Amino acid sequence: MKYVIATLPGDGIGPEVIEQACAVLDKVGQRYGHSFEFKEYLAGGVAIDQVGEPLPDETVAGCLASDSVLLGAVGGPKWDNLTGDIRPEQALLGLRSKLGLYANLRPAVLHKALRDACPLRPDIIGHGIDIMVVRELTGGIYFGASGRRLGPHGEEAYDTESYSVMEVERIARTAFEIALKRNRLVTNVDKANVLESSRLWRSVVIKVAEDYPEVELNHLYVDNASMQLIRDPRQFDVIVTTNMFGDILSDEASMITGSIGMLPSASLGKGQFGMYEPIHGSAPDIAGQDKANPIATILSAAMMLRYSFDLEQEAQAIEDAVTRVLDAGCRTGDIMSPGMKLIGCSEMGRLLQEAVELLQPSEN
Ligand code: IPM
Ligand code: MG
């Protein structure tokens, strides 16, 4: 099969990690008989610099004409003082909403080889952490009415949290479908003790759950959930939550795996189309120095193979390659620990390509 992938390298370490992910995809293609055509578009700070806006129409059109999208990272100190619509982050928000990507999947998995990087005590980690955060991505306070106005005490600013039944229903369905393929437990996270939008949210999740009798559903308020993630992360399988709570909890979940440089994400809508990106940012402090960890982006490419192209075996081959290279003791700076071998971004990419090539099919 031939697949067209729009690449949006973006800013900072984005271009370096995207280069390695494309090389690994090419290797997968050679080995399993697929071809991937990469078409690069501008997004983020680099787009502001070159064409004056973070998300040019050409980029949106290019993404829509592709089978899926692979994004590096956007933003950096250079653009921090811009306001409103010409911030690099607007590229991300615009892509999510224009491409209809309402479901954000953020797995937080602790690799066995990286246990030392986990800041939690071994008795808390137990046999490991494997959580899937399902974050609503095109609604809530990120997209509600906002603005400035004159109040009784002078200038005010406001943002609005608002959810429709339809928006909650579809994200809940995504979460339950994913839970069916995992450990069949969904934890809904909201703030229903305070927010009306959360009360609607919770009632819709409960309704959708009726269609999934095999899946257990429980509920946590977001403050408690943030505590439980650290107290006992093993109690979670799938977490479903709003845009903003998901933003916060997914960072927390990534931190307890000790390695934000390792975690991929998928943003999906209706159908197979999706946008895939590492959870980490553009890391301007190490950009262009061949120090970045490309694994999060490479694992994002694996998610693309699984969710957009239905290539499970090929996705698994990439994930096995990552395990193999970590088991061999190779580490980029962010996951380095004593006794391991420190390598750069391009060397990590090369080793992963090699591992994809050498892994026996039976191991895949
Ligand atoms: C994320 C990021 C974005 C978000 C920012 C950069 C707009 O934090 O993807 O988690 O808040 O969604
Ligand atoms: Mg975030």
Side-chain angles (χ1 to χ4, degrees):
M1 280 288 285
K2 182 175 169 192
Y3 301 93
V4 178
I5 299 172
T7 62
L8 314 178
D11 309 315
I13 59 171
E16 303 163 50
V17 294
I18 288 288
E19 185 185 335
Q20 297 311 320
C22 293
V24 170
L25 279 172
D26 274 336
K27 195 53 88 182
V28 169
Q30 281 164 31
R31 170 136 196 208
Y32 293 89
H34 310 291
S35 91
F36 301 107
E37 185 187 344
F38 303 108
K39 293 192 175 172
E40 190 175 314
Y41 299 95
L42 291 172
V46 64
I48 295 176
D49 287 351
Q50 290 191 27
V51 297
E53 51 177 336
L55 183 61
D57 290 345
E58 197 198 331
T59 298
V60 176
C63 290
L64 285 170
S66 306
D67 295 309
S68 74
V69 182
L70 188 62
L71 181 137
V74 298
K78 181 174 176 194
W79 306 281
D80 269 353
N81 294 322
L82 301 174
T83 47
D85 287 352
I86 48 167
R87 296 181 57 83
E89 289 77 10
Q90 284 302 322
L92 272 183
L93 300 178
L95 282 164
R96 291 168 183 173
S97 98
K98 289 183 178 167
L99 303 179
L101 306 171
Y102 60 83
N104 187 211
L105 277 42
R106 297 189 164 185
V109 177
L110 178 61
H111 280 257
K112 278 205 184 66
L114 296 183
R115 282 177 159 228
D116 289 347
C118 176
L120 300 180
R121 286 199 317 264
D123 62 304
I124 298 178
I125 309 170
H127 295 299
I129 298 170
D130 183 353
I131 302 170
M132 178 69 91
V133 178
V134 178
R135 169 190 178 192
E136 199 289 328
L137 203 60
T138 52
I141 199 165
Y142 273 56
F143 292 92
S146 72
R148 304 259 173 140
R149 63 191 167 203
L150 203 58
H153 309 291
E155 191 184 17
E156 293 177 356
Y158 63 95
D159 300 277
T160 316
E161 173 86 344
S162 154
Y163 271 110
S164 69
V165 170
M166 179 277 289
E167 287 175 304
V168 185
E169 226 170 62
R170 62 186 185 184
I171 191 72
R173 232 165 255 294
T174 304
F176 282 103
E177 290 292 333
I178 288 171
L180 279 179
K181 296 184 192 143
R182 297 173 45 103
N183 292 322
R184 303 187 169 211
L185 170 64
V186 170
T187 302
N188 168 50
V189 174
D190 60 33
K191 189 71 184 171
N193 51 344
V194 177
L195 303 177
E196 191 56 32
S197 56
S198 277
R199 286 190 278 273
L200 176 95
W201 175 283
R202 186 179 288 210
S203 69
V204 175
V205 172
I206 290 172
K207 191 102 189 60
V208 171
E210 288 171 8
D211 294 342
Y212 298 88
E214 316 88 324
V215 178
E216 187 189 336
L217 170 66
N218 55 35
H219 305 273
L220 289 179
Y221 297 138
V222 63
D223 47 351
N224 186 19
S226 72
M227 182 182 80
Q228 295 298 335
L229 266 172
I230 290 173
R231 198 186 69 84
D232 178 19
R234 283 178 295 157
Q235 71 183 279
F236 296 104
D237 177 25
V238 174
I239 292 176
V240 65
T241 192
T242 62
N243 204 342
M244 187 157 74
F245 294 161
D247 179 43
I248 299 166
L249 292 180
S250 63
D251 265 31
E252 188 186 1
S254 73
M255 188 57 219
I256 60 175
T257 72
S259 49
I260 197 159
M262 295 286 303
L263 299 180
S265 78
S267 300
L268 304 170
K270 286 208 163 47
Q272 304 270 94
F273 181 83
M275 179 164 83
Y276 299 82
E277 61 182 298
I279 282 191
H280 62 69
S282 60
D285 52 321
I286 57 163
Q289 299 169 39
D290 197 31
K291 286 183 181 166
N293 184 354
I295 293 180
T297 311
I298 290 168
L299 289 174
S300 300
M303 287 187 92
M304 172 188 293
L305 298 178
R306 173 173 296 125
Y307 290 104
S308 283
F309 304 155
D310 275 329
L311 299 174
E312 175 59 33
Q313 182 187 241
E314 290 82 342
Q316 194 66 54
I318 293 182
E319 290 163 356
D320 289 348
V322 169
T323 303
R324 158 91 52 121
V325 169
L326 292 177
D327 284 348
C330 300
R331 301 282 189 275
T332 44
D334 58 312
I335 49 173
M336 183 61 188
S337 60
M340 299 293 135
K341 184 174 178 224
L342 182 64
I343 60 174
C345 180
S346 50
E347 177 64 3
M348 181 60 89
R350 194 190 62 75
L351 289 171
L352 288 168
Q353 291 174 57
E354 197 178 271
V356 163
E357 191 152 41
L358 296 180
L359 273 175
Q360 294 308 308
S362 60
E363 294 174 60
N364 290 346

